[in-house]
Amino acid sequence: MAAGLKWAACPADVNAKTAPRTAQCATVPVPLDYSDPGGAQISLLVSRIASTKPEKRRGILMFNPGGPGGSGLDQPAFLANKGLPASVLDSYDLIGMDTRGVGHSTPMTCGLTEDIGYWANVPPYAADDAAVTAQAKIAEAVAKRCAATDTGGRLQHLTTANMARDLDRIRAALGEPKAGFYGASYGSALGAAYLSLFPDTIDRIVFDSNLADTHLDRDGLRRFARGVEETFPDFAKWAAARHASYGLGRTPAQVRKTYFTVAERLDKTPAADGTTGAIFRYLTFAHLYGDIQYGALAGIWQSLLTPAAGRATSAPPAVRAAPPVDNALTVFLAVTCNDVNWPEDVATYRRGVAEDRKRYPMFGAATANIIPCAYWKHEPSEPVKVGNEGPAEVLILQNRRDPVTPAVNAQLLRQKLGQRAKLVTVDDSGHGVYVLGGNACALNLTTAYLVGGKLPARDITCRS
């Protein structure tokens, strides 16, 4: 079957920022509805950087960078040019893809535009109880627009289970008896579903920066706020050491106080550029993904320190609801809402926001806020249970402090996988461990596993 794939140049946005290593792309057809495999088909665009060492080649290693809704076509070239070890490049054909509904695969959309007021996969911070009720109206409008736009009924087939089935179709189309997999963030949930549904065709598996299951549910979304609380002290320490430059506080405690001072002022009076307290909190959350972004975050804070200040560039790009954002949000919502049940009464979210505003004061009133899943047209289809039996072995990588997938997630996933998994916890901060994280211990352990199959004998902690 591999000979049937027609490899050609990828779209310009796949390789433009990752030269000199470039990928080729091919299209793989898959059923829209796996219960009707002979029915309507959709296309998946797949990328490949092939091993140039046939004597060392083990097979294929598929990548998913997260989401759901994130494009993964550029992952092979991106990671190869970020320093993926040559031994891994020699051992595998690196396979990326836009999952179903995303980007250069058959795209799906809710038609979300700026007027609807929904601009990120995390709901906005609710400064008070009335803000939850107001957000409920927006969430309902988004769900209704998705239902109205989806005249062909395609959105119901955007599920983690179907994406896992797609992975196995890609493996088969490439003519491989087994496939390795590296999944980061939501990619860990997709990988857990893939592992559970297809244990006999799985090769070596790495999960990085993890969700706790095969899906994102309300508890998982609320744990984002825990991740912010655990990760923010690293930024606060960084900023305090640079007080002479940014003026955000001489101690970490003062930096934290500055956060609440600015956020609460913006709750009452937005900045000149329209930055609200909710946007400020979201920007802070998004910039905690890695210390490479700390300088940019400090600059945003600095621009907002005085009343009526603010820069036009400080608002998140998603606020503008450009078409790619619509596509990414559509897939995020469809998969998240289709995978599991979400509460459908506003009172549940009001209680959760009140609880998490106290428990996680920095961001809890955002991640507990109501999302369109409360009004979603389709009922959950088929949640996948994590399997703890089977031949495949799993390496789980996790930073101790992660703003979106806190370390408790990896511990929960480790328990569900049982003895087939080993957990490597890195005493570091940020979202992403392998290659991008820069920790030598985790890099060496992961490379040894991918290339030589050497899984640690026990769970390990790597020092920073």
Side-chain angles (χ1 to χ4, degrees):
M1 274 183 93
L5 294 183
K6 297 180 180 179
W7 296 99
C10 290
D13 59 331
V14 175
N15 286 314
K17 297 180 180 179
T18 54
R21 288 190 180 272
T22 58
Q24 288 188 309
C25 285
T27 298
V28 176
V30 297
L32 173 65
D33 180 359
Y34 275 93
S35 68
D36 182 20
Q41 303 286 299
I42 57 176
S43 296
L44 305 178
L45 193 63
V46 175
S47 65
R48 179 183 69 174
I49 293 180
S51 168
T52 59
K53 302 289 181 64
E55 71 279 7
K56 295 182 178 180
R57 183 185 182 277
R58 175 179 178 81
I60 61 171
L61 182 62
M62 297 192 288
F63 291 86
N64 184 273
S71 173
L73 271 177
D74 67 343
Q75 285 300 288
F78 174 75
L79 290 174
N81 291 293
K82 282 292 184 180
L84 195 67
S87 56
V88 178
L89 293 167
D90 292 344
S91 298
Y92 298 97
D93 292 352
L94 309 183
I95 307 297
M97 70 208 70
D98 278 352
T99 52
R100 61 170 49 209
V102 173
H104 294 289
S105 294
T106 303
M108 300 187 195
T109 175
C110 285
L112 301 178
T113 51
E114 186 175 2
D115 66 284
I116 206 165
Y118 197 86
W119 44 264
N121 56 12
V122 179
Y125 185 94
D128 52 31
D129 187 63
V132 183
T133 303
Q135 183 61 23
K137 294 178 181 179
I138 295 174
E140 184 176 16
V142 170
K144 286 182 176 179
R145 183 168 295 186
C146 289
T149 304
D150 185 31
T151 55
R154 298 193 302 170
L155 291 184
Q156 65 183 309
H157 301 296
L158 290 176
T159 66
T160 298
N162 279 339
M163 288 181 176
R165 295 184 179 102
D166 292 344
L167 292 177
D168 205 56
R169 284 290 182 116
I170 292 170
R171 173 202 60 78
L174 292 168
E176 299 289 337
K178 293 192 174 186
F181 181 83
Y182 169 91
S185 196
Y186 165 77
S188 66
L190 175 57
Y194 182 34
L195 171 69
S196 302
L197 291 175
F198 299 97
D200 294 334
T201 58
I202 287 285
D203 194 22
R204 295 166 186 166
I205 303 292
V206 178
F207 297 155
D208 189 338
S209 305
N210 303 268
L211 293 183
D213 212 309
T214 61
H215 52 263
L216 175 64
D217 58 13
R218 185 164 182 253
D219 288 341
L221 183 57
R222 291 174 74 175
R223 283 194 294 271
F224 285 20
R226 174 172 174 170
V228 170
E229 294 284 351
E230 292 175 348
T231 307
F232 182 80
D234 285 12
F235 169 72
K237 181 179 179 181
W238 182 96
R242 294 160 178 80
H243 175 74
S245 295
Y246 296 109
L248 304 182
R250 298 182 184 280
T251 66
Q254 289 177 358
V255 174
R256 182 179 174 90
K257 183 178 179 180
T258 299
Y259 173 85
F260 289 107
T261 298
V262 174
E264 289 165 10
R265 191 187 72 239
L266 293 172
D267 287 337
K268 299 175 182 177
T269 306
D273 69 349
T275 300
T276 63
I279 290 175
F280 171 73
R281 290 177 172 94
Y282 178 83
L283 285 167
T284 298
F285 157 71
H287 282 77
L288 294 178
Y289 274 48
D291 59 10
I292 194 172
Q293 301 184 102
Y294 285 0
L297 179 58
I300 291 171
W301 280 38
Q302 196 172 39
S303 76
L304 296 166
L305 279 175
T306 57
R311 301 180 309 197
T313 55
S314 66
V319 173
R320 293 190 290 274
V325 174
D326 167 42
N327 177 228
L329 279 178
T330 294
V331 177
F332 173 84
L333 289 172
V335 174
T336 301
C337 301
N338 288 336
D339 274 356
V340 292
N341 268 312
W342 287 74
E344 297 178 1
D345 59 301
V346 179
T348 296
Y349 295 92
R350 292 170 61 193
R351 286 193 301 269
V353 166
E355 293 167 0
D356 286 6
R357 186 183 290 113
K358 294 179 180 179
R359 181 166 55 168
Y360 303 124
M362 299 195 75
F363 206 51
T367 60
N369 204 354
I370 192 166
I371 69 172
C373 294
Y375 303 97
W376 200 246
K377 176 182 178 180
H378 303 291
E379 291 298 314
S381 55
E382 45 182 342
V384 180
K385 184 177 180 180
V386 176
N388 61 4
E389 297 180 358
E393 296 177 320
V394 182
L395 182 64
I396 303 174
L397 307 176
Q398 180 67 49
N399 281 324
R400 194 179 296 280
R401 299 173 299 284
D402 185 316
V404 59
T405 55
V408 65
N409 284 4
Q411 295 160 9
L412 291 168
L413 184 59
R414 166 73 176 83
Q415 292 172 7
K416 292 169 184 173
L417 287 167
Q419 292 306 307
R420 71 194 311 187
K422 294 295 181 290
L423 172 60
V424 174
T425 303
V426 180
D427 187 15
D428 208 343
S429 177
H431 192 54
V433 175
Y434 189 51
V435 180
L436 300 180
N439 183 271
C441 165
L443 177 73
N444 292 337
L445 286 169
T446 307
T447 301
Y449 171 58
L450 287 173
V451 175
K454 185 180 179 182
L455 198 68
R458 62 185 184 282
D459 293 349
I460 290 176
T461 295
C462 290
R463 296 181 179 180
S464 60

